[in-house]
Amino acid sequence: MPTATYADTAVPVDDEGFFTDPARWTEPMAEQIAREQGIGELTDRHWTVIRFMREQYAAKGTGPTVRVLGKTSGVSVKELYQLFPKGPAKTAAKIAGIPKPRGCI
Amino acid sequence: MGKHIVILGGGTAGTMTANRLCRLYDRCEYRITVVDQDDDHLYQPGLLFVPFGLAQPRHLVRSRPRQLDAAVDYKQARIERVDLDARTVHLAEGIRVSYDILVVATGATLVPEETEGLTGPGWGEKVFTFYDLPGATGLHDALERFDGGRVVIDVADLPVKCPVAPLEFAFLADWYFQRRGIRDRVELAYVTPLDAAFTKPVAAKALGGLLKEKGVELVTEFTLGEVDGAGGRLVSYDEREVPFDLAVVVPLHAGAAYVGRSEGLGDELGFIPVDPHSLQHPDRPEVFAIGDAAGLSASKAGSVAHFEGEVLVRNIGRFLAGQPLDASFDGHTNCFVETGFHKALLIDFNYDTEPLPGHFPGPVGLPLLKESHASHLGKLAFEWLYWHSLLPGREVPGIGSAMPERGKHHVSA
């Protein structure tokens, strides 16, 4: 299993770089992951989404899709794309240290 | 009379469930009521063929109660809400129906109005969906008038009913324009929110290869944010644009509207959360969901409803007898994918195993993930099977709920 090093700590990740053990994630890691995803600075709005992703993962075992995020996180889909231009559900999941959201078929 | 089982929805899943219950259990053992708001049972797989003139709309619709066993009570009424605490369904005009077991089978609803501009200028003129009968009929007329330009097939976002149908539309459009002799004047594009032609890698490669072979442009990771009908543009949330002369859009899907009015019943999109293997609601053991209404990571397709039904009817009996539930539903899905020129390919998969090449249902049988005339005949024969065997709740020999492993070749994409 590959690992990545964030905030001087090695953590297990999958082939696409998503955390496989969300318990290993810490908030200081988020800034570094975000920079790797092309996001300069994490604002309060980013953190609203990141914390929501972690809550949803804890409750449901998977991160939400963009559409569900738009309906439930308090951040509209349009703003989600402004915050995470390369795809909110996947990018936010990566920064939030949770596995890749399971999409629908 | 015994316990009262109320089934909300008289479509594929609800009708099969009611009829299977009648077959599996003594008719007097349970009282069964099915509720739906109209008398139109639509053969949904036929919608794909309507735009191309390959199916007549009037042949796709039959009476709902006529598909039900005579022992089933059919109530035609609008569902207002479900009161889970009181185990009561509230229908229009103040009618209340109490239940011991509730089965939610009200499917998925199209919500085109949730996408900016989709139902605005151009809707029904150069922007269509074929996922309902009026849309498919309107698209038939529009295709007949179409004499050249850019046709874009777009899936707004998932989940959608029958995720292969938009791909089938692209394949059939290639065939249709060739048959009319104007294929060289038509550009075809397939636009999807996924990162490939399909969710699962091996099938995505095979189906993506077919798009390429047929000269259909593939645009990926495009989540539809806005439709500019007047300007002929689809705009994604990340502000990319896809131009069109004719757009065939699969709109967003949600659960039935009453689910949102029923506290504790559904999720944020109106689908019913259930255990993926037993189909039981996590908070209400007497509530089950089946078919497109269920919030599962399985495909929304009639075959899934059929395979789920086998487990569900057993579980209803077990639950009422105080026995542990059968948690054996594996996400089994089986679809014929029509590819044009009298060919189709078959895919068969479940929660854990993606569509793989090989044969179905065993080492000897229909080819999987490979075009064949036999699979096209299978697709056509399915309509008869649907009305006369599957809906009445008869089992199909050799095709059961569990996905067959024999005959499949495990390969990597």
Side-chain angles (χ1 to χ4, degrees), chain A residues 60 67 71 77 81 104-105, chain B residues 114 158 223 237 253 268:
Chain A
K60 295 183 176 171
R67 196 171 154 214
K71 279 190 184 286
V77 176
Y81 271 91
C104 315
I105 296 173
Chain B
E114 286 198 13
L158 301 173
T223 306
Y237 277 112
H253 284 41
E268 47 284 284

Side-chain angles (χ1 to χ4, degrees), chain B residues 354-366:
Chain B
E354 65 170 313
L356 294 170
H359 288 87
F360 178 87
V364 176
L366 289 171

Side-chain angles (χ1 to χ4, degrees), chain B residues 243-267:
Chain B
F244 66 82
D245 296 302
L246 181 68
V248 180
V249 177
V250 183
L252 296 175
H253 284 41
Y258 75 87
V259 177
R261 300 190 292 265
S262 307
E263 204 188 329
L265 182 61
D267 65 17

